[in-house]
Amino acid sequence: MTTSSRFAEALDELGLSELHSRIRRFPDETRTAAEAAAAIGCELSQICKSLIFSADGVPVLVLMDGASRVDVELVRRELMAAKVTRAKVDVVRETTGYAIGGVPPFGHRTRTRVLADRSLLEHDVVWAAAGTPYTVFPMEPKALIAHAGATLVDVRESAAS
């Protein structure tokens, strides 16, 4: 199989079985956005990073383009949380069922709130992890955001930050 069984099942459950044939597997890890963009041959901003944060102790998924960083203060304001931090490795695995570097935008072990940065809409296609650090899949950003159940927000760190 080219991807994790959990993600393959999630695609089927979401009615996205056609994506199985579009998943690309690489011999080397595509754990970072830069590694994925280099392997695919696309712009860094066409990578969709799936990042888990902790908002007042509750996991939240933020989808961000690969060329940008998440502004934690904007996430905090969006969620009306007292404190937002990057989630620890064990929390990411426990929440999503995937290791960092392979977390897809949907198909997680538990349901979490999802925020998607508007920057993802700047491309016709974005690439996201398919459940392992070696696999990615392409998808139209609006469809990806919809299947992730995400709220469209502006949480990208500004260039001046």
Side-chain angles (χ1 to χ4, degrees), residues 15-157:
L16 297 172
S17 298
E18 75 279 359
L19 281 181
H20 289 293
S21 64
R22 298 182 72 201
I23 292 171
R24 291 180 58 189
R25 181 173 178 79
F26 297 100
D28 298 317
E29 287 186 339
T30 54
R31 188 176 294 272
T32 68
E35 290 170 346
I40 296 163
C42 69
E43 292 178 35
L44 185 57
S45 61
Q46 285 181 273
I47 302 299
C48 175
K49 300 186 287 192
S50 298
L51 306 168
I52 300 291
F53 289 84
S54 178
D56 295 338
V58 177
V60 61
L61 173 65
V62 177
L63 304 176
M64 176 60 71
D65 79 82
S68 301
R69 292 175 51 97
V70 173
D71 185 322
V72 177
E73 176 59 20
L74 292 177
V75 173
R76 187 193 69 73
R77 281 190 233 150
E78 182 67 38
L79 298 174
M80 295 183 281
K83 183 178 181 183
V84 173
T85 59
R86 287 294 286 268
K88 294 187 180 345
V89 173
D90 59 327
V91 172
V92 172
R93 169 81 74 174
E94 182 181 301
T95 301
T96 67
Y98 305 98
I100 291 175
V103 177
F106 43 75
H108 297 176
R109 176 180 288 150
T110 60
R111 186 107 171 107
T112 58
R113 181 147 181 210
V114 184
L115 303 178
D117 190 77
R118 199 171 306 281
S119 61
L120 292 170
L121 299 176
E122 294 172 6
H123 298 284
D124 293 332
V125 172
V126 293
W127 293 82
T132 78
Y134 297 90
T135 54
V136 295
F137 70 97
M139 190 174 231
E140 189 272 326
K142 285 183 182 174
L144 184 142
I145 290 165
H147 285 292
T151 301
L152 203 55
V153 294
D154 292 303
V155 292
R156 178 169 43 172
E157 195 174 82

